[in-house]
Amino acid sequence: MPQQSKPVSYGGQAVIEGVMFGGKHVNVTAVRRKDGEITYLEVPKQDKSWVTKLRRIPLLRGIVSIIDSSVKGSRHLNYSADAYADDELEPEEKANQKEKEGSGWSLSMIIGVTAVAILSFLFGKVVLTLLPVVIENFLFKNAFDNQFLHNLLEGGIKLILLLAYLWLISQTPMIKRLFQYHGAEHKVISAHEAGEELTPENVQKYSRLHYRCGSSFIMLTVIIGVFLYSLFTYDNLWERMGQRLLLLPVVLGISFELLKLTNSVRDIPVLRYLGYPGLWLQLLTTKEPTNEQVEVSIASFNRMRELDAKLANVSATSEVPVATLDPVKG
């Protein structure tokens, strides 16, 4: 990889009819509107100093990054949902709605989105952690005494639930398009890391799978959980569930570090296989994008890079507003 591309490892997220990319100084979402226009949400990064410090601490940095990306990602996802809903309105309805809306994000709106994002994340992790425990205990409680085998079955049930959920939602047209934009995001990052000029034709040559993906992280939490839980014994179902909740931050932290490791060794012939389980899961969470979807992903990435360069030596709070909203709506 060329030296200049090493300092920043770019990441992103698919949104409704668009893609969000995070840079060193700014997060940018590009959305394809119904009329073909591409509009943007641009939000400078304003991390607190204590958050920045936590990001440097192994294990803790994973949990901080997960919650932070969940909160910020929800804001960009809401923007794309609002844009999609706005495109579905009749002209008269759109005019009436604009009169009722403010010109930007209020503090209460930001706090509300943040709270919902954190609660949704925690609820999802708790359900996916505890439900397999209950199912495994119900099916195999008296079948044998080997706790490692119970943990292995618990991990298998968790994986089945996860795959079934992802397959089910991928059957809906909107989620299928969302997964296509997810694939477009990965392709753009891979093309950039390879030093390619970002054109739809060049980007489409790359795989929709990427080692540094949240889907890979989810798969790692299942695998790490099986082995970590086996280090502890339990006497009953409630104790077992309590252990899972207490160890959840540890599972997340270790999985994040392992994700970084698998990405760093992906070019080593033998060690590259460490990241394969996550890549297999991405076969469900990504789809092959169209050239039009890749164009949106490129537009988001290029705009993020452009703003990142402008903000490199400038204070984001003094030079750029907290959010630059869609000119059609804001």
Side-chain angles (χ1 to χ4, degrees):
M1 187 185 299
Q3 181 124 6
Q4 67 256 30
S5 64
K6 283 185 178 180
V8 181
S9 294
Y10 294 111
Q13 173 183 320
V15 297
I16 299 172
E17 294 303 323
V19 176
M20 182 273 281
F21 279 108
K24 191 173 183 180
H25 304 287
V26 66
N27 295 323
V28 174
T29 286
V31 172
R32 174 84 73 182
R33 306 303 292 265
K34 197 171 184 178
D35 61 3
E37 180 187 6
I38 297 176
T39 58
Y40 302 87
L41 171 67
E42 301 154 1
V43 185
K45 290 186 174 180
Q46 297 173 309
D47 290 337
K48 301 293 184 181
S49 59
W50 62 270
V51 174
T52 303
K53 291 177 181 178
L54 287 177
R55 285 181 180 274
R56 300 192 184 105
I57 303 175
L59 296 182
L60 282 180
R61 62 186 174 187
I63 300 171
V64 172
S65 297
I66 294 163
I67 295 177
D68 183 60
S69 63
S70 179
V71 170
K72 292 177 179 176
S74 292
R75 183 172 180 182
H76 288 261
L77 187 59
N78 284 350
Y79 166 75
S80 69
D82 286 343
Y84 182 84
D86 185 69
D87 283 341
E88 298 301 310
L89 294 176
E90 296 296 330
E92 298 79 9
E93 295 176 310
K94 193 176 296 186
N96 292 335
Q97 183 167 319
K98 281 186 178 180
E99 293 178 2
K100 299 177 182 178
E101 291 180 346
S103 59
W105 283 65
S106 67
L107 178 60
S108 61
M109 291 171 66
I110 295 173
I111 293 175
V113 169
T114 301
V116 170
I118 293 175
L119 290 174
S120 298
F121 167 76
L122 292 176
F123 178 77
K125 291 306 299 180
V126 168
V127 169
L128 191 59
T129 298
L130 296 186
L131 186 57
V133 175
V134 175
I135 295 176
E136 196 281 333
N137 184 77
F138 176 77
L139 294 176
F140 303 105
K141 178 181 179 180
N142 299 316
F144 44 82
D145 295 327
N146 189 311
Q147 290 194 350
F148 177 78
L149 189 53
H150 280 291
N151 294 336
L152 194 61
L153 287 170
E154 175 189 334
I157 292 170
K158 182 183 295 185
L159 184 59
I160 291 172
L161 292 175
L162 177 63
L163 294 178
Y165 169 74
L166 291 174
W167 179 84
L168 187 62
I169 64 173
S170 69
Q171 303 308 301
T172 64
M174 179 172 287
I175 298 300
K176 181 179 180 180
R177 288 189 62 81
L178 187 73
F179 286 175
Q180 286 179 297
Y181 277 108
H182 190 189
E185 173 226 324
H186 285 178
K187 283 173 176 275
V188 166
I189 292 177
S190 294
H192 168 74
E193 290 176 342
E196 285 270 17
E197 179 186 0
L198 297 184
T199 65
E201 293 73 21
N202 287 342
V203 170
Q204 287 283 33
K205 294 185 298 184
Y206 289 85
S207 172
R208 72 181 200 262
L209 313 180
H210 196 284
Y211 274 76
R212 202 174 58 250
C213 175
S215 301
S216 297
F217 173 78
I218 294 172
M219 178 65 81
L220 286 173
T221 63
V222 177
I223 298 172
I224 293 298
V226 170
F227 292 98
L228 183 63
Y229 299 153
S230 298
L231 299 177
F232 304 87
T233 60
Y234 52 84
D235 294 323
N236 53 62
L237 175 62
W238 295 108
E239 186 176 333
R240 184 180 180 184
M241 293 172 67
Q243 282 183 1
R244 301 302 185 261
L245 292 178
L246 290 174
L247 291 172
L248 180 56
V250 183
V251 171
L252 296 177
I254 294 176
S255 298
F256 183 85
E257 299 300 328
L258 188 56
L259 180 65
K260 290 174 66 70
L261 174 64
T262 58
N263 183 64
S264 66
V265 300
R266 61 180 176 174
D267 294 324
I268 301 176
V270 177
L271 297 181
R272 66 183 304 175
Y273 295 108
L274 290 173
Y276 273 35
L279 295 178
W280 294 333
L281 185 60
Q282 289 177 47
L283 293 173
L284 276 178
T285 62
T286 64
K287 301 292 182 185
E288 285 294 334
T290 65
N291 282 349
E292 290 74 18
Q293 290 169 324
V294 170
E295 286 176 358
V296 177
S297 187
I298 292 173
S300 177
F301 189 81
N302 285 341
R303 181 59 177 159
M304 177 272 295
R305 294 263 290 168
E306 176 187 348
L307 290 177
D308 238 17
K310 290 181 179 179
L311 294 175
N313 298 309
V314 180
S315 170
T317 56
S318 61
E319 295 294 324
V320 181
V322 172
T324 303
L325 295 178
D326 178 350
V328 177
K329 297 188 65 184

